[in-house]
Amino acid sequence: MKHQDTFKDVAKQISTATGKHFEPLVAQPITGGDINSAFRLQGGEQSYFVKLNRPQLLDMFEAEQAGLHELAASQTLRVPLPIVSGKTEGHAFLVMEHIVWGANTSTTSRLLGQQLALMHQPQQAYFGWHRDNTIGSTPQSNRQHADWPTFWRDQRLGVQLNLAKANGYGGRLQSLGEQLCGHINAFFSSYHPTPSLLHGDLWGGNTAVDQQGRPVIFDPACYYGDRETDLAMTELFGGFDRDFYAAYQSAWPVDPGFSTRKILYNLYHILNHLNLFGGGYARQAESQLAKLLSEIK
Ligand code: ADP
């Protein structure tokens, strides 16, 4: 099916969802994503951001839509408001509000830090979420737990280590992984996080600024967990400046044990990259595992 027919079909479903007739005139491709193809669909005064992928991946878009709703409901950081997700003959799609980007400044970085700290204010009793989602394109289990170290071991590191084993990464990676999972409580002897609403995939490519200077976050992998996991990920691939960290710290200071736990938290994303892209991530994961084990022995 040609993209033109797909966009006609998507436009019909936008019209139904919004109750306002939408006739797209221009479909402009947008680059920068990892997983999906993306377009700005424009017609008259209306403009939408549309992601397309294979029809089998509708569930991934439904989870992203639910995540955007969850973040929006916190009324802290701006997120693109989701409009509708569904299927056409050849694609699954997700439509959201299209946002025109503005310039990042020290003020917008500070706002991002302050508003993220607000978003992280604890809101519920359990770690996890009411539904599963994806991290990149890897399934992410959000089965709820009352105990955070158990959640991190069973729903995060354990799942990625098992996937790595199935992908052929056995040996030292698995033996270090087993040792770490057996000692997970050692990282939490005097630290007891509360469940914060998390973006879940907070690298620099998933934040921007709108034309009014408001920070925006998008492409989430939401769940409730230790706020330090979001902060750890901001450091993994960079893109966040000193103003951001200073503002977050003054709104809600971070526990000193973060410098070690961030390695434990970013290990999840390194393992996920190993499972998605292979290659050099195996050595990086092993060295991080060895570093963590040396901290507790
Ligand atoms: P993927 O799911 O493929 O990783 P992203 O959600 O990261 O895709 O989006 C890809 C790019 O599209 C981003 O880098 C961003 O610049 C842009 N983008 C994302 N959401 C919007 C939006 N609502 N409005 C305008 N541009 C957007």
Side-chain angles (χ1 to χ4, degrees), residues 78-285:
R78 183 173 186 199
V79 296
L81 295 177
I83 312 282
V84 62
S85 59
K87 274 189 198 176
T88 64
E89 207 181 300
H91 293 95
F93 68 85
L94 171 62
V95 180
M96 64 190 87
E97 166 188 24
H98 178 268
I99 299 177
V100 180
W101 302 134
N104 190 29
T105 63
S106 56
T107 306
T108 63
S109 291
R110 276 198 297 275
L111 274 176
L112 179 61
Q114 284 161 6
Q115 293 177 357
L116 185 68
L118 274 180
M119 191 187 102
H120 282 163
Q121 291 299 319
Q123 296 174 30
Q124 69 161 40
Y126 285 88
F127 300 102
W129 199 29
H130 64 84
R131 62 160 300 153
D132 293 344
N133 47 15
T134 52
I135 180 74
S137 53
T138 309
Q140 174 166 271
S141 162
N142 294 319
R143 184 181 306 165
Q144 299 195 341
H145 287 259
D147 180 63
W148 172 251
T150 307
F151 178 89
W152 194 253
R153 184 193 61 202
D154 294 353
Q155 308 307 324
R156 292 291 178 267
L157 294 183
V159 172
Q160 292 286 351
L161 283 164
N162 285 340
L163 255 183
K165 193 188 242 172
N167 287 334
Y169 300 101
R172 184 160 180 260
L173 181 81
Q174 293 298 328
S175 70
L176 292 173
E178 267 171 41
Q179 286 178 60
L180 184 81
C181 286
H183 290 93
I184 199 94
N185 284 324
F187 297 94
F188 300 94
S189 51
S190 59
Y191 176 72
H192 306 288
T194 42
S196 295
L197 173 58
L198 303 174
H199 177 281
D201 193 7
L202 196 56
W203 68 290
N206 284 344
T207 73
V209 172
D210 70 13
Q211 296 227 302
Q212 290 76 45
R214 289 175 293 186
V216 183
I217 56 173
F218 48 89
D219 203 15
C222 279
Y223 62 103
Y224 287 78
D226 184 358
R227 66 192 176 113
E228 287 185 354
T229 59
D230 265 354
L231 290 174
M233 196 172 184
T234 64
E235 294 187 27
L236 185 58
F237 301 115
F240 295 79
D241 58 22
R242 293 216 318 249
D243 293 306
F244 163 79
Y245 293 108
Y248 189 99
Q249 275 287 352
S250 68
W252 188 0
V254 172
D255 183 275
F258 173 65
S259 55
T260 300
R261 277 188 303 275
K262 72 183 177 191
I263 305 171
L264 183 72
Y265 292 152
N266 281 339
L267 179 60
Y268 173 63
H269 297 290
I270 293 168
L271 288 170
N272 187 42
H273 274 64
L274 172 65
N275 286 318
L276 288 172
F277 310 118
Y281 291 107
R283 241 188 300 146
Q284 195 184 353

Side-chain angles (χ1 to χ4, degrees), residues 20-80:
K20 204 159 119 190
H21 181 71
F22 175 57
E23 191 81 46
L25 297 175
V26 186
Q28 178 196 347
I30 296 187
T31 54
D34 290 331
I35 311 288
N36 307 293
S37 44
F39 301 85
R40 176 185 188 172
L41 266 196
Q42 201 179 357
E45 295 292 292
Q46 299 179 66
S47 205
Y48 298 97
F49 181 76
V50 180
K51 289 189 185 187
L52 298 180
N53 211 317
R54 288 177 291 124
Q56 301 88 307
L57 294 176
L58 175 59
D59 192 56
M60 177 181 80
F61 284 150
E62 288 175 343
E64 181 173 346
Q65 184 176 14
L68 289 170
H69 275 300
E70 191 91 8
L71 293 174
S74 76
Q75 299 191 321
T76 49
L77 273 156
R78 183 173 186 199
V79 296

